[in-house]
Amino acid sequence: MTPVHATFGEVAAERRIASVPLSHVSVELGHLYMEDFEAGPARLREQFRRVAPWLATIRSVWRERVPGGRARVSTCFLVDDYFSRFSTPAELVPMILEAAAEHDLTIDYLARESACAQFEDGRSGAVELARLVEDRLVDDPPPDTDGSRPPVKETGWLCNGSRSPLTTPLQAMGKARPWEPPTQNAKRGHSIFVDVELWDERGARRTWSCPFLAAVWQLLRLGLLRAEGRVPLPPVPLEGAWPGDWDRLPAVVRINPQAAPFSAYTTLSVLSPRFLPVELAVRTILSQVAVDDEVLRQVAARSESERVRLEEELVDRVSYVFT
């Protein structure tokens, strides 16, 4: 009987996490929803008129902040094609670009909001970015919690503290529980309690909320999302003319061939004040997203090599101008 010598070794699968090029700041020049389109080109021109001074300011700030003054600043614009489909890329995008150019603004990247929910990947088919972020939500339980509150993945609601407890009808010979106010976990003196609906469902159809998709959008701009280790939604140049259907438009289009990278260490969004409640909800969501540790290490190493100090908390890398 011939002896067989076998060597057994543990083969660890190498976990590959793609890196992404990063600007110093990604500046969002606006959102476009149906009501903005219906208001006509004048609404867009007014938006860009208000935005232009702030973009000049942020460029100046980053030139002073970055060693050597070589700041990488990219601009982007988001179009809602998720909650309502209006117009076509062929009609709408040239109008947006023309209105921006009137105020010496260059839009480097244009994105479709529906891609923040789901997009088609040539390798693996449909990729649900919103589901990826949902899987990374970490509940922020209030002190002395008893586990009676269902988790966010069951309810579709996320909050920053403790909701008012349910009151029950007065029982015979019993006492009704008095009303108690909701409380914020990290309050400063007094609570600012926020409760955000992330989605609703009718039958098998789930509709993601505007704040949740906006949180996905911020994570994309920060370069912190991965789908099976790959960078989702890499910007692509448009081939040919603007299409007549939104589904034929890439999720993120690189309009400016000389643009700095789409994703960035930080983001700044210049928005109308009507978006303030939405962005408060976005920040509440982002404060409870657990980003992949390896992705965070990549970004930290890159920023340190450039001597760019980043805030520890993800939400503190996101800023706004409401004008």
Side-chain angles (χ1 to χ4, degrees):
M1 185 173 180
T2 304
V4 177
H5 301 282
T7 301
F8 296 93
E10 182 179 349
V11 179
E14 185 177 355
R15 185 166 177 259
R16 298 183 183 276
I17 302 294
S19 61
V20 61
L22 294 167
S23 291
H24 292 105
V25 59
S26 161
V27 182
E28 181 179 9
L29 303 182
H31 286 177
L32 188 75
Y33 288 91
M34 179 178 282
E35 58 266 32
D36 302 301
F37 173 71
E38 291 175 341
R43 171 76 68 86
L44 274 174
R45 287 194 291 269
E46 176 61 18
Q47 164 72 7
F48 291 131
R49 184 191 67 78
R50 295 195 304 265
V51 166
W54 291 104
L55 180 59
T57 298
I58 200 66
R59 288 187 190 278
S60 175
V61 167
W62 273 95
R63 279 195 295 267
E64 294 176 3
R65 180 176 175 183
V66 174
R70 295 184 295 274
R72 299 186 300 276
V73 179
S74 65
T75 63
C76 58
F77 194 91
L78 184 67
V79 176
D80 170 33
D81 67 329
Y82 180 76
F83 296 102
S84 56
R85 289 288 177 102
F86 56 93
S87 187
T88 66
E91 177 187 6
L92 184 61
V93 178
M95 183 177 74
I96 295 171
L97 299 181
E98 181 180 339
E102 288 183 18
H103 297 279
D104 297 322
L105 294 174
T106 299
I107 297 175
D108 296 326
Y109 301 95
L110 184 135
R112 298 192 293 117
E113 189 165 10
S114 63
C116 295
Q118 177 177 305
F119 70 97
E120 292 296 324
D121 185 315
R123 295 185 187 180
S124 51
V127 176
E128 294 185 274
L129 276 188
R131 293 275 187 183
L132 292 180
V133 175
E134 178 196 349
D135 289 342
R136 291 201 162 272
L137 291 175
V138 178
D139 287 294
D140 183 17
D144 304 319
T145 185
D146 59 6
S148 61
R149 184 177 72 185
V152 61
K153 293 179 183 179
E154 290 182 16
T155 64
W157 284 83
L158 176 145
C159 70
N160 65 346
S162 178
R163 299 176 175 94
S164 294
L166 293 174
T167 56
T168 56
L170 182 65
Q171 301 293 324
M173 303 299 291
K175 253 186 176 180
R177 182 175 184 175
W179 178 84
E180 296 176 23
T183 57
Q184 178 187 0
N185 282 351
K187 66 181 180 180
R188 295 183 179 181
H190 297 80
S191 288
I192 302 174
F193 181 76
V194 181
D195 211 350
V196 186
E197 186 175 19
L198 306 184
W199 64 78
D200 62 24
E201 292 177 330
R202 295 184 179 181
R205 177 178 173 78
R206 172 177 289 192
T207 301
W208 301 97
S209 71
C210 179
F212 195 71
L213 293 184
V216 176
W217 170 236
Q218 289 286 357
L219 290 166
L220 279 171
R221 292 169 62 202
L222 289 168
L224 296 178
L225 287 183
R226 298 294 184 274
E228 297 182 352
R230 299 194 301 274
V231 177
L233 305 187
V236 298
L238 180 70
E239 297 180 0
W242 294 102
D245 184 88
W246 289 107
D247 291 330
R248 292 170 52 203
L249 186 71
V252 180
V253 182
R254 187 175 72 240
I255 300 173
N256 178 11
Q258 284 77 46
F262 168 70
S263 297
Y265 293 129
T266 65
T267 70
L268 173 74
S269 299
V270 187
L271 301 170
S272 163
R274 78 181 196 267
F275 289 107
L276 199 154
V278 172
E279 297 303 328
L280 172 60
V282 169
R283 296 178 69 83
T284 303
I285 296 167
L286 291 177
S287 68
Q288 297 183 46
V289 173
V291 175
D292 187 284
D293 287 341
E294 178 58 31
V295 175
L296 290 175
R297 279 192 290 269
Q298 285 180 358
V299 174
R302 293 271 295 282
S303 66
E304 288 170 10
S305 70
E306 294 194 79
R307 291 181 292 165
V308 174
R309 179 184 173 276
L310 291 182
E311 298 290 344
E312 288 292 328
E313 294 294 331
L314 166 64
V315 71
D316 293 329
R317 303 178 192 179
V318 176
S319 58
Y320 304 90
V321 171
F322 294 102
T323 179

